[in-house]
Amino acid sequence: MRVAYFIYFLCCLALPSQLFGQVRVVLHQPPPNQLKVEQLWWVDISNFSNNQYTVFLHAEIEEDEAGLIFKANTNTFVVPPGTKRIQARDITDVHDIWYASEYREYIVRTGSVPEGKYTACIYVIDAITGAELAHHCITVTVLPIEPPRLISPRDGIELKPGYPLFSWTGAFPLPPGERVKYKIKIVEMFDAQTPEQAMRMNTPWYEGTVVNQTTLTYPGGARPFDEQKKYVWQIQAMDQFDKPLGRDLGLSEIW
């Protein structure tokens, strides 16, 4: 009997201390390879008491090497007995925002963090007393995005008359459901130019976009290619394309 009790006691010590509190919070894991600020507000708060609490959320993000890079507080809200799910749309005000200087521009522009290894924590704070009621932390790794790579038409090939099919690899890795816009740019290259100079300086012969596709058939209504001319082409990948400020996922090589 004493052995059984001792084992039970050790198991209890191994459990997170907040399980014995009146409030518990769980921060949901974001999709793979991303960490957006708005995802910090996706939490489940369980109130095991018979009382309701007026609380606010305090969020922090630390990068493994850089340390603390972001913190912020939300508006207050009521947590009744039971479990309450909070999502970004439930947060009406985020204030007391702080960024590490080298991360500010990127986070403000994209709403997410760049590549790196992070620990994200959410704290439930009693708005009346200022006491911490619960907290939960998760680790997130954001890997660098590989830009698109050209597949066809091959570099240096002579195109046959008609409407060639352009193809490339997709940017990788991307979170599930991420919508990506691929922009194709084709310019004429003059004899004294390098492909890079032509792409940077010349007026596009053709520009087009596709969404979540990695092929484009040259449109019949576009200006036809001249067999006496040379052309270069390149692909650019962008995510969050439905927002005013998208995130550049990189440029392919130039063929």
Coordinates of all heavy atoms in Angstrom, one line a residue, residues 75-160:
N75 N -6.9 42.8 -25.1 CA -8.0 43.3 -24.3 C -8.5 42.3 -23.2 O -8.1 41.1 -23.3 CB -9.2 43.6 -25.3 CG -9.6 42.4 -26.1 OD1 -8.9 42.1 -27.1 ND2 -10.6 41.6 -25.7
T76 N -9.2 42.8 -22.3 CA -9.7 41.9 -21.2 C -11.0 41.2 -21.7 O -11.7 41.7 -22.6 CB -10.0 42.7 -20.0 OG1 -11.0 43.7 -20.2 CG2 -8.8 43.3 -19.4
F77 N -11.3 40.0 -21.1 CA -12.5 39.3 -21.4 C -12.8 38.4 -20.2 O -11.9 38.2 -19.4 CB -12.4 38.5 -22.7 CG -11.2 37.6 -22.8 CD1 -11.3 36.3 -22.4 CD2 -10.0 38.0 -23.3 CE1 -10.2 35.4 -22.4 CE2 -8.9 37.2 -23.4 CZ -9.0 35.9 -22.9
V78 N -14.0 37.9 -20.2 CA -14.4 37.1 -19.1 C -14.3 35.6 -19.4 O -14.6 35.1 -20.5 CB -15.9 37.4 -18.7 CG1 -16.4 36.4 -17.6 CG2 -16.0 38.8 -18.2
V79 N -13.7 34.9 -18.4 CA -13.6 33.4 -18.5 C -14.6 32.8 -17.5 O -14.3 32.8 -16.3 CB -12.2 32.9 -18.3 CG1 -12.1 31.4 -18.3 CG2 -11.3 33.5 -19.3
P80 N -15.7 32.2 -17.9 CA -16.6 31.6 -17.0 C -16.2 30.2 -16.6 O -15.2 29.7 -17.2 CB -17.9 31.6 -17.8 CG -17.5 31.5 -19.2 CD -16.2 32.2 -19.3
P81 N -16.8 29.5 -15.7 CA -16.5 28.1 -15.4 C -16.6 27.3 -16.7 O -17.5 27.5 -17.5 CB -17.5 27.7 -14.3 CG -17.8 29.0 -13.7 CD -17.8 30.1 -14.7
G82 N -15.8 26.3 -16.9 CA -15.8 25.5 -18.1 C -14.6 25.8 -19.0 O -13.7 26.5 -18.6
T83 N -14.7 25.4 -20.2 CA -13.7 25.7 -21.2 C -14.1 26.7 -22.2 O -15.2 26.6 -22.8 CB -13.3 24.3 -21.9 OG1 -12.8 23.4 -20.9 CG2 -12.2 24.6 -23.0
K84 N -13.3 27.6 -22.5 CA -13.6 28.7 -23.4 C -12.5 28.7 -24.5 O -11.3 28.8 -24.2 CB -13.6 30.1 -22.7 CG -14.0 31.3 -23.6 CD -13.9 32.5 -22.8 CE -14.3 33.8 -23.6 NZ -15.8 33.8 -23.9
R85 N -12.9 28.7 -25.8 CA -11.9 28.8 -26.9 C -11.8 30.2 -27.4 O -12.8 30.8 -27.7 CB -12.3 27.8 -28.0 CG -11.4 28.0 -29.3 CD -11.5 26.8 -30.2 NE -10.8 25.7 -29.6 CZ -10.6 24.5 -30.2 NH1 -11.0 24.3 -31.4 NH2 -10.0 23.5 -29.6
I86 N -10.6 30.7 -27.4 CA -10.3 32.0 -27.9 C -9.6 31.9 -29.3 O -8.7 31.1 -29.5 CB -9.4 32.8 -27.0 CG1 -10.0 32.9 -25.6 CG2 -9.1 34.2 -27.5 CD1 -11.3 33.6 -25.5
Q87 N -10.0 32.7 -30.3 CA -9.4 32.8 -31.6 C -9.1 34.2 -31.9 O -9.5 35.1 -31.2 CB -10.3 32.1 -32.6 CG -10.6 30.7 -32.4 CD -11.3 30.0 -33.5 OE1 -10.8 29.9 -34.6 NE2 -12.5 29.5 -33.2
A88 N -8.3 34.4 -33.0 CA -7.9 35.8 -33.3 C -9.0 36.7 -33.5 O -8.9 37.9 -33.1 CB -7.0 35.7 -34.6
R89 N -10.2 36.3 -34.0 CA -11.3 37.2 -34.2 C -11.9 37.6 -32.9 O -12.7 38.6 -32.9 CB -12.4 36.5 -35.1 CG -13.0 35.2 -34.5 CD -14.1 34.7 -35.3 NE -14.7 33.4 -34.8 CZ -14.3 32.2 -35.2 NH1 -13.4 32.1 -36.1 NH2 -14.9 31.1 -34.7
D90 N -11.6 36.9 -31.8 CA -12.2 37.3 -30.5 C -11.3 38.4 -29.8 O -11.8 39.0 -28.8 CB -12.2 36.1 -29.6 CG -13.1 35.0 -30.1 OD1 -14.2 35.3 -30.6 OD2 -12.7 33.8 -30.1
I91 N -10.2 38.6 -30.4 CA -9.3 39.7 -29.8 C -9.5 41.0 -30.5 O -9.2 41.1 -31.7 CB -7.8 39.2 -29.9 CG1 -7.6 37.9 -29.2 CG2 -6.9 40.3 -29.4 CD1 -7.9 37.9 -27.8
T92 N -10.1 41.9 -29.8 CA -10.4 43.2 -30.4 C -9.4 44.3 -30.3 O -9.4 45.3 -30.9 CB -11.8 43.7 -29.8 OG1 -11.6 43.9 -28.4 CG2 -12.9 42.7 -30.0
D93 N -8.4 44.1 -29.4 CA -7.4 45.1 -29.2 C -6.1 44.4 -28.7 O -6.1 43.5 -27.8 CB -7.8 46.1 -28.1 CG -6.8 47.1 -27.8 OD1 -6.1 47.6 -28.8 OD2 -6.5 47.4 -26.6
V94 N -5.0 44.7 -29.4 CA -3.7 44.3 -29.0 C -2.8 45.5 -28.7 O -2.7 46.4 -29.6 CB -3.0 43.4 -30.1 CG1 -1.6 43.0 -29.6 CG2 -3.9 42.2 -30.4
H95 N -2.3 45.6 -27.5 CA -1.5 46.8 -27.1 C -0.3 46.4 -26.3 O 0.0 45.2 -26.2 CB -2.4 47.7 -26.3 CG -3.1 47.0 -25.1 ND1 -4.3 46.4 -25.2 CD2 -2.6 46.9 -23.8 CE1 -4.6 45.9 -24.0 NE2 -3.6 46.2 -23.2
D96 N 0.4 47.4 -25.9 CA 1.7 47.2 -25.2 C 2.6 46.3 -26.0 O 3.3 45.4 -25.5 CB 1.5 46.6 -23.8 CG 0.7 47.5 -22.9 OD1 0.8 48.7 -23.1 OD2 0.0 47.0 -22.0
I97 N 2.6 46.5 -27.4 CA 3.4 45.7 -28.3 C 4.9 46.1 -28.3 O 5.2 47.3 -28.3 CB 2.8 45.8 -29.7 CG1 1.3 45.4 -29.7 CG2 3.6 44.9 -30.7 CD1 0.7 45.7 -31.1
W98 N 5.7 45.1 -28.2 CA 7.2 45.4 -28.3 C 7.8 44.4 -29.2 O 7.5 43.2 -29.3 CB 7.8 45.2 -26.9 CG 9.3 45.4 -26.9 CD1 10.0 46.5 -26.7 CD2 10.3 44.3 -27.0 NE1 11.3 46.3 -26.8 CE2 11.5 44.9 -27.0 CE3 10.2 42.9 -27.2 CZ2 12.7 44.2 -27.1 CZ3 11.4 42.2 -27.4 CH2 12.6 42.9 -27.3
Y99 N 8.8 44.9 -30.1 CA 9.5 44.1 -31.0 C 11.0 44.3 -30.7 O 11.5 45.4 -30.4 CB 9.3 44.5 -32.4 CG 7.8 44.5 -32.9 CD1 7.1 45.7 -32.8 CD2 7.2 43.3 -33.4 CE1 5.8 45.7 -33.2 CE2 5.9 43.4 -33.9 CZ 5.2 44.6 -33.8 OH 3.9 44.6 -34.2
A100 N 11.8 43.2 -30.9 CA 13.2 43.4 -31.0 C 13.5 44.1 -32.3 O 12.9 43.9 -33.3 CB 13.9 42.0 -31.0
S101 N 14.4 45.1 -32.3 CA 14.6 46.0 -33.4 C 14.8 45.3 -34.7 O 14.3 45.7 -35.8 CB 15.7 47.0 -33.1 OG 16.9 46.3 -32.8
E102 N 15.6 44.2 -34.7 CA 16.0 43.6 -35.9 C 14.9 42.7 -36.5 O 15.0 42.2 -37.6 CB 17.3 42.7 -35.8 CG 17.1 41.6 -34.7 CD 17.5 42.0 -33.3 OE1 17.3 43.2 -33.0 OE2 18.1 41.2 -32.6
Y103 N 13.8 42.5 -35.7 CA 12.7 41.7 -36.2 C 11.5 42.5 -36.5 O 10.5 42.1 -37.1 CB 12.3 40.7 -35.1 CG 13.3 39.5 -35.0 CD1 14.4 39.6 -34.3 CD2 13.0 38.3 -35.7 CE1 15.3 38.6 -34.2 CE2 13.9 37.2 -35.6 CZ 15.1 37.4 -34.8 OH 16.0 36.3 -34.7
R104 N 11.5 43.8 -36.1 CA 10.2 44.6 -36.2 C 9.7 44.7 -37.6 O 8.5 44.5 -37.9 CB 10.5 46.0 -35.6 CG 9.4 47.0 -35.8 CD 9.8 48.4 -35.5 NE 10.1 48.6 -34.1 CZ 9.2 48.9 -33.2 NH1 7.9 49.1 -33.5 NH2 9.6 49.0 -31.9
E105 N 10.6 45.1 -38.5 CA 10.1 45.4 -39.9 C 9.5 44.1 -40.5 O 8.4 44.1 -41.1 CB 11.3 45.9 -40.8 CG 10.8 46.4 -42.1 CD 10.7 45.3 -43.2 OE1 11.4 44.2 -43.0 OE2 10.0 45.5 -44.2
Y106 N 10.2 43.0 -40.3 CA 9.7 41.7 -40.9 C 8.3 41.3 -40.3 O 7.4 40.9 -41.0 CB 10.7 40.6 -40.7 CG 10.4 39.3 -41.5 CD1 11.0 39.1 -42.7 CD2 9.5 38.4 -41.0 CE1 10.7 38.0 -43.4 CE2 9.2 37.2 -41.7 CZ 9.8 37.0 -42.9 OH 9.5 35.9 -43.6
I107 N 8.2 41.4 -39.0 CA 7.0 40.9 -38.3 C 5.8 41.9 -38.7 O 4.7 41.4 -39.0 CB 7.1 40.9 -36.8 CG1 8.1 39.8 -36.4 CG2 5.8 40.6 -36.1 CD1 8.5 39.7 -34.9
V108 N 6.1 43.2 -38.7 CA 5.0 44.2 -39.1 C 4.6 44.0 -40.5 O 3.4 44.0 -40.8 CB 5.5 45.6 -38.8 CG1 4.6 46.6 -39.4 CG2 5.7 45.9 -37.3
R109 N 5.5 43.7 -41.4 CA 5.2 43.6 -42.8 C 4.5 42.3 -43.2 O 3.6 42.3 -44.0 CB 6.5 43.7 -43.7 CG 6.3 43.6 -45.2 CD 7.6 43.9 -45.9 NE 8.7 43.0 -45.6 CZ 8.8 41.8 -46.1 NH1 8.0 41.4 -47.1 NH2 9.8 41.0 -45.8
T110 N 4.9 41.2 -42.5 CA 4.3 39.9 -42.9 C 3.4 39.3 -41.9 O 2.6 38.4 -42.2 CB 5.5 38.9 -43.1 OG1 6.1 38.6 -41.9 CG2 6.5 39.4 -44.1
G111 N 3.4 39.8 -40.7 CA 2.6 39.2 -39.6 C 3.1 37.9 -39.1 O 2.5 37.3 -38.2
S112 N 4.3 37.5 -39.5 CA 4.9 36.3 -39.1 C 6.4 36.5 -38.7 O 6.9 37.6 -38.9 CB 4.8 35.2 -40.2 OG 5.4 35.6 -41.4
V113 N 7.1 35.4 -38.3 CA 8.5 35.5 -38.0 C 9.3 34.9 -39.1 O 8.8 34.0 -39.8 CB 8.8 34.8 -36.6 CG1 8.0 35.5 -35.5 CG2 8.4 33.3 -36.6
P114 N 10.5 35.3 -39.2 CA 11.4 34.7 -40.2 C 11.9 33.3 -39.8 O 11.6 32.9 -38.7 CB 12.6 35.7 -40.4 CG 12.6 36.3 -39.0 CD 11.2 36.4 -38.5
E115 N 12.7 32.7 -40.6 CA 13.2 31.4 -40.3 C 14.0 31.4 -38.9 O 14.6 32.4 -38.6 CB 14.2 30.9 -41.4 CG 15.4 31.7 -41.6 CD 16.2 31.3 -42.8 OE1 15.8 31.6 -43.9 OE2 17.2 30.6 -42.6
G116 N 13.9 30.3 -38.2 CA 14.5 30.2 -36.9 C 13.8 29.2 -36.0 O 12.8 28.6 -36.4
K117 N 14.4 29.1 -34.8 CA 13.8 28.2 -33.8 C 13.2 29.1 -32.7 O 13.9 29.9 -32.1 CB 14.8 27.2 -33.3 CG 15.3 26.2 -34.3 CD 16.3 25.2 -33.7 CE 16.7 24.2 -34.7 NZ 17.7 23.2 -34.2
Y118 N 11.9 28.9 -32.4 CA 11.2 29.8 -31.5 C 10.5 29.0 -30.3 O 10.2 27.9 -30.5 CB 10.2 30.6 -32.2 CG 10.8 31.5 -33.3 CD1 10.9 31.0 -34.6 CD2 11.2 32.8 -33.1 CE1 11.4 31.8 -35.6 CE2 11.7 33.6 -34.1 CZ 11.8 33.1 -35.3 OH 12.4 33.8 -36.3
T119 N 10.4 29.8 -29.2 CA 9.5 29.3 -28.2 C 8.4 30.4 -28.0 O 8.7 31.6 -27.8 CB 10.2 29.2 -26.8 OG1 11.3 28.2 -27.0 CG2 9.3 28.7 -25.7
A120 N 7.2 30.0 -28.2 CA 6.0 30.9 -28.1 C 5.3 30.6 -26.8 O 4.9 29.4 -26.6 CB 5.1 30.8 -29.3
C121 N 5.0 31.6 -26.0 CA 4.3 31.4 -24.7 C 3.1 32.3 -24.6 O 3.1 33.5 -25.1 CB 5.2 31.7 -23.5 SG 6.6 30.5 -23.4
I122 N 2.0 31.8 -24.0 CA 0.8 32.6 -23.7 C 0.6 32.5 -22.2 O 0.7 31.4 -21.6 CB -0.4 32.1 -24.5 CG1 -1.5 33.1 -24.6 CG2 -0.9 30.8 -24.0 CD1 -1.2 34.2 -25.5
Y123 N 0.2 33.7 -21.7 CA 0.0 33.8 -20.2 C -1.4 34.3 -20.0 O -1.8 35.3 -20.7 CB 1.0 34.7 -19.6 CG 2.4 34.3 -19.7 CD1 3.1 34.6 -20.8 CD2 3.0 33.6 -18.6 CE1 4.5 34.2 -20.9 CE2 4.4 33.2 -18.7 CZ 5.1 33.5 -19.9 OH 6.4 33.1 -20.0
V124 N -2.2 33.7 -19.1 CA -3.5 34.2 -18.7 C -3.3 35.0 -17.4 O -2.9 34.5 -16.4 CB -4.5 33.1 -18.5 CG1 -5.9 33.6 -18.1 CG2 -4.6 32.2 -19.8
I125 N -3.6 36.3 -17.5 CA -3.4 37.2 -16.4 C -4.7 37.7 -15.9 O -5.6 38.2 -16.6 CB -2.5 38.4 -16.9 CG1 -1.2 38.0 -17.6 CG2 -2.2 39.3 -15.7 CD1 -0.3 37.2 -16.7
D126 N -4.8 37.7 -14.5 CA -6.0 38.2 -13.9 C -6.0 39.7 -14.0 O -5.0 40.4 -13.5 CB -6.0 37.8 -12.4 CG -7.3 38.1 -11.7 OD1 -7.8 39.3 -11.9 OD2 -7.9 37.3 -11.0
A127 N -7.0 40.3 -14.7 CA -7.0 41.7 -14.9 C -7.2 42.5 -13.6 O -6.8 43.7 -13.6 CB -8.0 42.1 -15.9
I128 N -7.7 41.9 -12.6 CA -8.0 42.6 -11.4 C -6.8 42.7 -10.5 O -6.4 43.7 -9.9 CB -9.2 42.0 -10.6 CG1 -10.4 41.9 -11.5 CG2 -9.5 42.8 -9.3 CD1 -10.9 43.2 -12.1
T129 N -6.1 41.5 -10.3 CA -5.0 41.4 -9.4 C -3.6 41.5 -10.1 O -2.6 41.7 -9.4 CB -5.1 40.1 -8.6 OG1 -4.9 39.0 -9.5 CG2 -6.4 40.0 -7.9
G130 N -3.6 41.2 -11.4 CA -2.3 41.2 -12.1 C -1.6 39.8 -11.9 O -0.5 39.7 -12.4
A131 N -2.2 38.9 -11.3 CA -1.6 37.6 -11.0 C -1.7 36.7 -12.3 O -2.7 36.7 -13.0 CB -2.3 36.9 -9.8
E132 N -0.7 35.9 -12.5 CA -0.7 34.9 -13.5 C -1.5 33.7 -13.1 O -1.3 33.1 -12.1 CB 0.7 34.4 -13.9 CG 0.8 33.4 -14.9 CD 2.1 32.7 -15.1 OE1 3.1 33.5 -15.0 OE2 2.2 31.5 -15.3
L133 N -2.5 33.4 -13.9 CA -3.4 32.3 -13.6 C -2.9 31.0 -14.3 O -3.2 29.9 -13.7 CB -4.8 32.6 -14.0 CG -5.5 33.8 -13.4 CD1 -6.9 34.0 -14.0 CD2 -5.5 33.6 -11.9
A134 N -2.3 31.1 -15.4 CA -1.8 29.9 -16.1 C -1.0 30.4 -17.3 O -1.0 31.5 -17.7 CB -3.0 29.1 -16.7
H135 N -0.1 29.4 -17.8 CA 0.6 29.7 -19.0 C 0.9 28.4 -19.7 O 0.9 27.3 -19.1 CB 1.9 30.5 -18.7 CG 3.0 29.6 -18.1 ND1 3.1 29.4 -16.7 CD2 4.0 28.9 -18.7 CE1 4.2 28.6 -16.5 NE2 4.7 28.3 -17.7
H136 N 1.3 28.5 -21.0 CA 1.6 27.4 -21.8 C 2.6 27.8 -22.9 O 2.4 28.9 -23.5 CB 0.4 26.7 -22.4 CG 0.7 25.5 -23.2 ND1 0.0 25.2 -24.4 CD2 1.5 24.4 -22.9 CE1 0.5 24.0 -24.8 NE2 1.4 23.6 -24.0
C137 N 3.6 27.0 -23.1 CA 4.6 27.4 -24.2 C 4.7 26.2 -25.2 O 4.6 25.0 -24.8 CB 6.0 27.6 -23.5 SG 6.0 29.0 -22.3
I138 N 5.0 26.6 -26.4 CA 5.3 25.6 -27.5 C 6.6 26.0 -28.2 O 7.0 27.1 -28.1 CB 4.1 25.5 -28.5 CG1 3.9 26.9 -29.1 CG2 2.8 25.0 -27.8 CD1 2.9 26.9 -30.3
T139 N 7.2 25.0 -28.9 CA 8.3 25.3 -29.7 C 8.0 25.2 -31.1 O 7.2 24.3 -31.5 CB 9.5 24.3 -29.4 OG1 9.0 23.0 -29.5 CG2 10.0 24.5 -27.9
V140 N 8.5 26.1 -32.0 CA 8.2 26.1 -33.4 C 9.5 26.3 -34.2 O 10.3 27.2 -33.8 CB 7.2 27.3 -33.7 CG1 6.9 27.3 -35.2 CG2 5.9 27.1 -32.9
T141 N 9.7 25.6 -35.2 CA 10.8 25.7 -36.1 C 10.3 26.2 -37.5 O 9.4 25.6 -38.1 CB 11.6 24.4 -36.3 OG1 12.1 24.0 -35.0 CG2 12.8 24.6 -37.2
V142 N 10.8 27.4 -37.9 CA 10.5 27.9 -39.2 C 11.7 27.7 -40.1 O 12.7 28.3 -39.9 CB 10.1 29.4 -39.1 CG1 9.7 30.0 -40.5 CG2 8.9 29.6 -38.1
L143 N 11.5 26.9 -41.1 CA 12.6 26.6 -42.0 C 12.7 27.6 -43.2 O 11.7 28.2 -43.5 CB 12.5 25.2 -42.6 CG 12.4 24.1 -41.6 CD1 12.1 22.7 -42.3 CD2 13.8 23.9 -40.9
P144 N 13.9 27.8 -43.8 CA 14.0 28.7 -44.9 C 13.2 28.1 -46.1 O 13.1 26.9 -46.3 CB 15.5 28.8 -45.2 CG 16.0 27.5 -44.6 CD 15.2 27.3 -43.4
I145 N 12.6 29.0 -46.9 CA 11.8 28.6 -48.0 C 12.7 28.5 -49.3 O 13.5 29.4 -49.6 CB 10.7 29.6 -48.3 CG1 9.7 29.8 -47.1 CG2 9.9 29.2 -49.6 CD1 9.0 28.6 -46.8
E146 N 12.7 27.4 -49.9 CA 13.4 27.2 -51.2 C 12.6 27.9 -52.3 O 11.4 27.6 -52.5 CB 13.6 25.7 -51.5 CG 14.5 25.0 -50.6 CD 16.0 25.4 -50.7 OE1 16.3 25.8 -51.9 OE2 16.7 25.3 -49.8
P147 N 13.2 28.8 -53.1 CA 12.5 29.4 -54.1 C 12.2 28.5 -55.3 O 12.8 27.4 -55.3 CB 13.5 30.5 -54.6 CG 14.9 30.0 -54.2 CD 14.7 29.2 -53.0
P148 N 11.4 28.9 -56.2 CA 11.1 28.0 -57.3 C 12.3 27.8 -58.2 O 13.2 28.6 -58.3 CB 10.0 28.8 -58.1 CG 10.1 30.2 -57.6 CD 10.6 30.2 -56.2
R149 N 12.3 26.7 -58.9 CA 13.4 26.3 -59.8 C 12.8 26.0 -61.2 O 11.8 25.3 -61.3 CB 14.2 25.1 -59.3 CG 14.8 25.2 -57.9 CD 15.9 26.3 -58.0 NE 16.5 26.5 -56.7 CZ 17.4 27.5 -56.4 NH1 17.7 28.4 -57.3 NH2 17.9 27.6 -55.2
L150 N 13.4 26.5 -62.2 CA 12.9 26.4 -63.6 C 13.1 24.9 -64.0 O 14.1 24.3 -63.7 CB 13.6 27.3 -64.5 CG 13.6 28.8 -64.1 CD1 14.2 29.7 -65.2 CD2 12.1 29.3 -63.9
I151 N 12.1 24.4 -64.8 CA 12.2 23.1 -65.4 C 12.2 23.1 -66.9 O 13.1 22.5 -67.5 CB 11.0 22.2 -64.9 CG1 11.1 22.1 -63.4 CG2 11.0 20.9 -65.6 CD1 9.9 21.3 -62.8
S152 N 11.2 23.8 -67.5 CA 11.1 23.8 -68.9 C 10.4 25.1 -69.4 O 9.5 25.6 -68.7 CB 10.3 22.6 -69.4 OG 10.1 22.6 -70.8
P153 N 10.8 25.6 -70.6 CA 11.8 25.2 -71.5 C 13.3 25.3 -71.0 O 13.6 26.2 -70.2 CB 11.7 26.1 -72.7 CG 10.3 26.8 -72.5 CD 10.2 26.8 -71.0
R154 N 14.1 24.3 -71.4 CA 15.4 24.3 -70.8 C 16.3 25.5 -71.3 O 16.0 26.1 -72.3 CB 16.2 23.0 -71.3 CG 15.5 21.7 -70.9 CD 15.6 21.5 -69.3 NE 17.0 21.5 -68.9 CZ 17.3 21.4 -67.6 NH1 16.3 21.4 -66.6 NH2 18.5 21.4 -67.2
D155 N 17.3 25.8 -70.5 CA 18.1 26.9 -70.8 C 18.8 26.7 -72.1 O 19.4 25.7 -72.4 CB 19.2 27.0 -69.6 CG 19.9 28.4 -69.7 OD1 19.4 29.3 -70.3 OD2 21.0 28.4 -69.2
G156 N 18.7 27.8 -73.0 CA 19.4 27.8 -74.3 C 18.7 27.1 -75.4 O 19.2 27.0 -76.5
I157 N 17.5 26.5 -75.1 CA 16.8 25.8 -76.1 C 16.2 26.7 -77.2 O 15.9 27.9 -76.9 CB 15.7 24.9 -75.5 CG1 15.2 23.8 -76.5 CG2 14.5 25.8 -75.1 CD1 14.3 22.8 -75.8
E158 N 16.0 26.2 -78.4 CA 15.4 27.0 -79.5 C 13.9 26.6 -79.5 O 13.6 25.4 -79.7 CB 16.0 26.7 -80.8 CG 15.4 27.5 -82.0 CD 16.1 27.4 -83.3 OE1 17.3 27.0 -83.3 OE2 15.5 27.6 -84.3
L159 N 13.0 27.5 -79.2 CA 11.6 27.2 -79.2 C 11.0 27.0 -80.6 O 11.3 27.7 -81.5 CB 10.8 28.4 -78.5 CG 11.1 28.6 -77.0 CD1 10.3 29.8 -76.5 CD2 10.9 27.4 -76.2
K160 N 10.1 26.0 -80.6 CA 9.4 25.8 -81.9 C 8.2 26.8 -81.9 O 7.7 27.2 -80.9 CB 8.9 24.4 -82.0 CG 10.0 23.3 -82.0 CD 9.5 21.9 -82.0 CE 10.6 20.9 -82.1 NZ 10.1 19.5 -82.1

